């Protein structure tokens, strides 16, 4: 069984190694290869356009791994929490689903304005999903022009947060937010 902290740490590890990862629609932590590109181009021609081909070829040449937003989360489960391993499709109780489908799996959810400080929560807006890594930050695979990004929750246009189901992951209790302490003279 995986934990929310493990998912958050996985997200942070991928972000720290983001030069080895890139955004390809319809992928989930796969190695970038010419055959994968050709298959995805047939499957999703609107996303794999000729004006992006040189970028894909560079990704292949540089032996990067690829994922889309929900594929990034699936890669955590399907690689068994090993960011540099080939995924095994549909494993570890994680279904093959869309960003919206992944959010629908969440039994507990709420407005993004009230997100608890629990690493490994998912953050969501229609058609897009990311991972809350704690202390007010998220990691997401944003798109072809952005790849993997780490940002403050407030810098995204997230609408909701959610807890993936217990069949997939367990969560720790909320951590208290870091508080800045301002001391203004006087003795302590």
């Amino acid at each position: 069984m995986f934990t929310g902290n493990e998912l958050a740490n996985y997200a942070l590890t991928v972000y720290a190694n983001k030069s080895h990862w890139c955004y390809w629609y319809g992928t989930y932590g796969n190695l970038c290869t010419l055959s994968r590109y050709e298959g995805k181009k047939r499957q999703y021609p609107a996303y794999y356009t000729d004006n992006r081909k040189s970028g894909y070829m560079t990704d292949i040449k540089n032996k990067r791994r690829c994922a889309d937003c929900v594929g990034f989360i699936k890669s955590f489960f399907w690689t068994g929490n090993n960011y540099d391993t080939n995924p095994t499709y549909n494993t570890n109780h994680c279904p093959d689903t869309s960003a919206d489908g992944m959010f629908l799996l969440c039994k507990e959810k709420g407005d993004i304005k009230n997100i608890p400080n629990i690493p490994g929560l998912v953050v969501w807006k229609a058609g897009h999903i990311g991972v809350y890594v704690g202390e007010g930050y998220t990691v997401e695979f944003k798109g072809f022009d952005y790849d993997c990004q780490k940002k403050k929750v407030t810098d995204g246009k997230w609408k909701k947060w959610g807890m993936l189901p217990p069949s997939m992951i367990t969560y720790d209790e909320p951590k208290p937010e870091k508080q800045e302490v301002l001391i203004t003279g006087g003795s302590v």
Side-chain angles (χ1 to χ4, degrees):
M1 177 61 66
F2 297 109
T3 69
N5 284 327
E6 288 173 324
L7 176 55
N9 288 334
Y10 178 88
L12 289 167
T13 299
V14 169
Y15 175 74
N17 292 279
K18 66 183 181 174
S19 64
H20 300 291
W21 283 72
C22 57
Y23 182 97
W24 283 24
Y25 187 81
T27 61
Y28 45 87
N30 313 93
L31 194 58
C32 298
T33 63
L34 185 57
S35 63
R36 178 158 286 105
Y37 164 75
E38 290 168 348
K40 291 300 170 188
K41 184 174 176 146
R42 281 190 303 276
Q43 188 177 12
Y44 302 112
Y47 292 94
Y48 290 83
T49 58
D50 288 340
N51 63 337
R52 291 184 174 148
K53 185 174 182 177
S54 67
Y56 293 120
M57 295 304 115
T58 300
D59 295 338
I60 293 165
K61 178 183 168 196
N62 293 334
K63 299 181 177 164
R64 297 176 88 189
R65 291 201 172 273
C66 52
D68 62 13
C69 66
V70 71
F72 168 52
I73 295 169
K74 289 186 262 191
S75 75
F76 165 75
F77 292 99
W78 294 355
T79 64
N81 187 17
N82 184 344
Y83 87 100
D84 200 23
T85 269
N86 290 325
T88 303
Y89 180 79
N90 212 21
T91 56
N92 291 316
H93 306 286
C94 180
D96 186 6
T97 188
S98 65
D100 292 347
M102 186 72 72
F103 186 71
L104 286 173
L105 294 173
C106 298
K107 301 301 180 207
E108 190 173 336
K109 44 186 111 169
D111 189 285
I112 198 66
K113 293 175 188 161
N114 302 315
I115 189 169
N117 192 26
I118 302 174
L121 296 175
V122 295
V123 289
W124 173 87
K125 64 181 177 179
H128 190 57
I129 197 163
V131 176
Y132 179 73
V133 294
E135 307 305 332
Y137 285 88
T138 63
V139 172
E140 65 180 302
F141 270 68
K142 189 173 178 184
F144 293 102
D145 295 331
Y146 306 98
D147 293 327
C148 185
Q149 301 223 321
K150 179 182 174 190
K151 298 193 287 188
K152 288 189 171 201
V153 171
T154 54
D155 291 343
K157 294 182 178 167
W158 305 112
K159 301 294 183 197
K160 304 275 185 185
W161 62 266
M163 285 185 165
L164 293 170
S167 61
M168 293 172 68
I169 200 164
T170 59
Y171 291 97
D172 292 334
E173 292 297 313
K175 294 180 178 184
E177 294 286 341
K178 285 186 179 178
Q179 305 262 331
E180 287 187 33
V181 178
L182 179 63
I183 301 175
T184 57
S187 59
V188 178

